[in-house]
Amino acid sequence: MTPTVTNEVITMPEPSNQKLSPSDSVSNGSGHRSPQRASAAEGPEAAEKPQSESFSADAPPTEVFAVYGVEPEIQAYAMAKYSRSALSMKESLREISAQKAEKFLNTFYFQYGHRSIADLAHIALAVERLSILAAIELADEQRWDGQERSTRYQDFKKSSYYTPDFGADDQARKLYRETLDHLFAEYDALSAHMTQHLISITPRPAEMKQEAYERTLKARAFDITRYLLPLATNTSLGEIVNARTLETQVAHLLSHTHKEVRVLGESLKKAATSAAYNVNAESLRGLVEEIRKVSPELGARAEQELLHEVRVAPTLVKYADPNPYEMATRRELRQAARELMKSESVAPSKAIVDLLDEEPLEVEIATTLLYEHCHHSYRQVRQALQVSGERFRREIIDLGLRHRGKHDEMLRGFRAGQQFRFDILMDTGGFRDMHRHRRCTQVMQGFTTQHGYEMLLDVEDAGMRSRYDVAMRRTQTAVEKLAARNTPEAEENSQYAIPLAYRKRALFKMDFAEAVYISELRTTPAGHVSYRNVAYAMYEAVARKYPALAKYFRVHDVTAPVDLLQR
C-alpha cells in the first residue's frame, strides 16, 4: 500500500521590519515551527490567510495532546504514518478505517518487515486462573509490563490449583492431588498459626487501628506461609504489552515444554484477535435502547458506533506460531548439557549469590547456553567446558545458532558482555519478586527439588519447624515419584507439585546502575527476607570486588531488627 502524501505549506511569522509574501515565507523558511499547517486539500486561500488568523503569537510552537478511544492497531497505523506521510495525527485518525489499517499492516509489517510498527500498538490483557508456574513463564519477557496476584496481600487457600494431563495414569493423578491437598491444608493451618504468633509478639501501637494492625501482620504471615504454596497454585495477572512483544511472547509460549503453557499461548493469541471485553457495553446498550425509542434509525446508527466489536490485534498477532528455532535448539542444547555434565553431581552451594569473574566472550556465551539446561552452577558448567576444550565450546555456540531463521532473534544466552553477572540460588517465591527486574538479562534454570528448600526462623520460633519439614520431605518424595512415571511430560507435570520454598538457579546479567538499584530497592525493611538477603549479598559481592564503589550503594542492613508493622 502506498502511503497517502499531502503537500504542506507552513505559514511563517512576518519579521517586524520586513513584509514577506506567503511564498517568500516558505522559500526563505527559518527554524521556527508553526503550530498551524495548511494542506493542499484546504485550498490556496488557507495558506494565504494573514498571520493573525492562522495562529496565535502566544501559542506554543509544539503541539502535544493525548489520544483516547482508538483501537490499538489503528493507533499504530496513525503513528507509523508520521514517517510516511505529512498528515497530522488528527488528520490520520480521521482518515483511517480498520480496513485501511489492516491493509497497511499486512503490507509494511509482514511483507516489508517493518516490525517496529507493532511497537506502537499497546494491548491490555487479563490472564486469570493460570498456575504460578505458567505465570513465571508468561512474565519471562524483558519488554513486558504487568502485575501478578500478590502472595503477601491475598489468601491463596481458596485459589485451588492446576492439574496437568496425566492421561490414563490414575495412580499419578491420585498422588498428585493428595500431595497438593496436603500442601494447601498445611498452608491454611500455618497461615492462621503464624498470624496469631505475630500478634502475640507484636504490640499494637495506640495510634494504629485494630483493622490495620491485623491486616499488616496477616500480610507478614502470608510472606512466611507462601513457601508452602505449590507451583500449581492458581493465580491471575494483567499485562500491557505492545503487539510485537505479544507476538514474540505467544510464539515462545507455543514452543514451551509444558502443555498448560502452550495452551496459554493459544489463549493469548485468541484474545488478541477476537472481540475484546468492553467494560461500558452494558451502559452503552441501555443508552442505545433509549435512543432507539426516540428514533429507530438513529438507534441503529448508535448501535453501530457504540457497540461494534473491537479486536485489539487482529492483524499483528495472527501469524504467531510455535518457533522451530527455539524448539530445535532447546532439544540439542539440553542433550549437550546432559552429556557434558553427566559425570558431575550438582555441587552444594553455601553462597546464595556468586559474582562471576571476567572471561572471554566465547566462554560466557557457551556457558550461558548450557547453564539454562541443567541445575549446576555457572562455575561448574564453565569448568566442564574448559576441560572439554575450545573446539567443543565453539560447537555449543554453533548449536545455538544452527536453526536460526531469517526473522529469529538470537537466544537469550547470546545477550552477553555485561560487567556484573550474578549466579543466584534462591527460593522460587523470592525469585518471583526478583524476576520483575527486567532491565537486566535473566537466564532461568528449570524447577527442581535438588537444591533443597528455605525455612524462615519465624517458623521455628512459632514452633512449627517439625511440621514444616515433614510437609517438604513428603512433597519432595511425591515429586520424584511423579517425575519417574513412564508417561508423556512426566517430569514437566511433576514440577507443578514443587512448593515455592524450593530453590532454583537463575543468572542475572546487568550494568552497575542496575546492581545498585536492585540492592537498594530490595534491601528495604518492608520487603521479604528472602530477596532482602539476596540483594544484600549482591551488594557485598560488588563491595569485595570493587571496594571503591561500595560507598555509592544506599542499602539497608538486613541484620537490623525489622518493625513488622512497617510496610
Side-chain angles (χ1 to χ4, degrees):
M1 176 178 176
T2 304
T4 303
V5 179
T6 60
N7 295 323
E8 182 185 61
V9 179
I10 303 178
T11 305
M12 306 298 294
E14 292 182 0
S16 58
N17 61 348
Q18 189 176 2
K19 183 77 173 178
L20 293 178
S21 68
S23 59
D24 290 333
S25 299
V26 174
S27 60
N28 298 324
S30 68
H32 181 85
R33 294 172 290 169
S34 169
Q36 299 294 328
R37 301 195 283 185
S39 69
E42 294 172 321
E45 66 278 1
E48 295 178 358
K49 285 183 180 180
Q51 174 187 339
S52 60
E53 294 180 20
S54 61
F55 65 89
S56 168
D58 296 330
T62 301
E63 184 179 9
V64 180
F65 55 90
V67 178
Y68 169 76
V70 185
E71 297 172 24
E73 287 196 354
I74 292 178
Q75 180 70 82
Y77 176 24
M79 289 190 170
K81 290 191 72 173
Y82 273 132
S83 67
R84 295 163 177 83
S85 167
L87 292 178
S88 71
M89 174 66 70
K90 295 175 183 177
E91 291 168 331
S92 293
L93 290 174
R94 284 194 294 266
E95 182 222 43
I96 293 171
S97 66
Q99 291 80 9
K100 283 185 178 181
E102 181 178 1
K103 184 177 179 182
F104 173 86
L105 295 171
N106 275 326
T107 300
F108 283 92
Y109 187 70
F110 295 112
Q111 184 177 338
Y112 296 163
H114 295 179
R115 299 177 66 81
S116 61
I117 294 172
D119 294 342
L120 304 172
H122 282 77
I123 300 160
L125 292 159
V127 186
E128 300 180 351
R129 293 183 303 281
L130 75 165
S131 71
I132 288 178
L133 185 151
I136 291 173
E137 298 298 334
L138 177 63
D140 190 36
E141 164 55 55
Q142 199 165 11
R143 295 162 292 195
W144 185 82
D145 293 306
Q147 288 284 312
E148 186 185 345
R149 187 179 173 196
S150 171
T151 54
R152 167 177 283 193
Y153 300 112
Q154 297 193 47
D155 186 349
F156 276 72
K157 67 183 178 183
K158 297 181 180 179
S159 297
S160 190
Y161 54 81
Y162 171 78
T163 300
D165 183 8
F166 289 100
D169 193 348
D170 294 333
Q171 187 176 354
R173 186 181 296 105
K174 181 174 182 292
L175 174 60
Y176 177 85
R177 288 179 173 169
E178 287 176 350
T179 302
L180 268 68
D181 288 342
H182 178 70
L183 281 173
F184 271 91
E186 292 299 282
Y187 167 80
D188 190 21
L190 184 59
S191 295
H193 185 88
M194 286 305 308
T195 300
Q196 293 305 313
H197 171 70
L198 295 178
I199 288 174
S200 70
I201 65 172
T202 311
R204 179 175 66 86
E207 68 276 10
M208 192 175 196
K209 293 183 178 180
Q210 181 70 23
E211 182 182 359
Y213 168 74
E214 292 181 0
R215 184 174 62 248
T216 302
L217 291 182
K218 196 171 185 179
R220 289 287 188 178
F222 284 150
D223 258 356
I224 298 166
T225 56
R226 77 177 188 184
Y227 281 145
L228 285 160
L229 290 174
L231 285 167
T233 305
N234 284 332
T235 185
S236 299
L237 58 80
E239 69 172 23
I240 299 177
V241 293
N242 65 56
R244 177 155 59 158
T245 298
L246 180 60
E247 183 186 34
T248 301
Q249 185 183 50
V250 168
H252 169 68
L253 297 176
L254 291 174
S255 310
H256 203 269
T257 53
H258 292 63
K259 182 178 180 180
E260 181 203 9
V261 181
R262 296 193 297 271
V263 172
L264 176 60
E266 290 285 0
S267 299
L268 278 177
K269 183 176 178 179
K270 182 178 180 181
T273 55
S274 303
Y277 169 70
N278 183 351
V279 67
N280 298 312
E282 186 175 344
S283 61
L284 289 174
R285 192 170 289 110
L287 177 61
V288 167
E289 291 305 316
E290 291 182 26
I291 296 173
R292 201 188 306 275
K293 291 177 182 177
V294 177
S295 168
E297 181 181 345
L298 195 58
R301 181 182 172 190
E303 182 177 14
Q304 182 179 4
E305 292 290 334
L306 299 176
L307 294 174
H308 70 281
E309 290 185 343
V310 173
R311 291 168 171 78
V312 293
T315 308
L316 294 172
V317 186
K318 64 182 178 182
Y319 296 125
D321 294 313
N323 188 332
Y325 169 46
E326 180 178 340
M327 293 187 292
T329 306
R330 178 177 61 227
R331 182 175 60 251
E332 295 184 3
L333 287 176
R334 182 172 290 182
Q335 179 63 27
R338 188 180 297 116
E339 292 179 2
L340 178 67
M341 307 305 294
K342 62 184 177 182
S343 61
E344 295 283 339
S345 60
V346 176
S349 177
K350 294 182 180 179
I352 58 176
V353 171
D354 182 10
L355 177 57
L356 301 167
D357 308 318
E358 295 180 17
E359 60 198 351
L361 190 59
E362 284 187 8
V363 173
E364 180 187 346
I365 291 173
T367 306
T368 304
L369 287 172
L370 294 180
Y371 172 91
E372 182 179 357
H373 300 289
C374 63
H375 296 295
H376 297 77
S377 71
Y378 186 94
R379 289 185 186 272
Q380 275 191 283
V381 177
R382 183 175 62 188
Q383 176 62 29
L385 271 174
Q386 289 173 337
V387 171
S388 63
E390 181 180 352
R391 181 177 177 180
F392 181 76
R393 183 173 70 232
R394 293 187 174 177
E395 287 178 358
I396 296 301
I397 296 175
D398 180 67
L399 281 180
L401 295 171
R402 182 177 299 167
H403 301 284
R404 186 184 178 211
K406 181 179 179 181
H407 299 294
D408 289 321
E409 291 186 9
M410 285 187 175
L411 297 175
R412 192 174 298 182
F414 288 95
R415 298 177 191 174
Q418 291 94 330
Q419 180 74 15
F420 294 89
R421 296 172 298 125
F422 300 91
D423 185 4
I424 296 177
L425 178 64
M426 67 183 305
D427 64 273
T428 304
F431 168 78
R432 290 171 68 243
D433 297 307
M434 294 290 288
H435 196 205
R436 296 169 61 185
H437 293 283
R438 309 195 188 284
R439 204 169 69 80
C440 55
T441 297
Q442 301 179 25
V443 180
M444 295 192 300
Q445 290 188 348
F447 302 102
T448 182
T449 58
Q450 292 186 51
H451 301 302
Y453 57 85
E454 293 287 351
M455 197 283 300
L456 296 183
L457 292 178
D458 302 83
V459 175
E460 187 169 5
D461 293 342
M464 298 290 283
R465 173 165 187 164
S466 177
R467 186 169 174 176
Y468 179 89
D469 286 336
V470 168
M472 290 298 161
R473 288 196 296 267
R474 171 179 170 171
T475 303
Q476 181 171 355
T477 299
V479 169
E480 291 170 354
K481 288 181 179 179
L482 290 168
R485 305 294 293 183
N486 188 25
T487 54
E489 297 189 16
E491 182 177 354
E492 287 79 5
N493 291 344
S494 72
Q495 293 172 1
Y496 285 99
I498 299 176
L500 298 183
Y502 276 89
R503 305 183 187 104
K504 75 187 303 292
R505 282 195 178 278
L507 188 62
F508 284 69
K509 303 181 179 184
M510 65 194 73
D511 57 29
F512 175 66
E514 184 69 359
V516 172
Y517 174 75
I518 293 176
S519 297
E520 291 181 350
L521 178 68
R522 293 301 183 184
T523 56
T524 56
H528 193 284
V529 64
S530 172
Y531 63 69
R532 290 191 73 210
N533 289 335
V534 169
Y536 197 77
M538 290 172 63
Y539 154 70
E540 290 180 314
V542 175
R544 284 193 298 269
K545 191 170 184 179
Y546 304 99
L549 297 176
K551 63 182 179 181
Y552 300 113
F553 287 75
R554 297 180 295 193
V555 295
H556 297 263
D557 183 0
V558 296
T559 64
V562 173
D563 183 352
L564 295 179
L565 298 176
Q566 294 297 316
R567 299 172 63 183

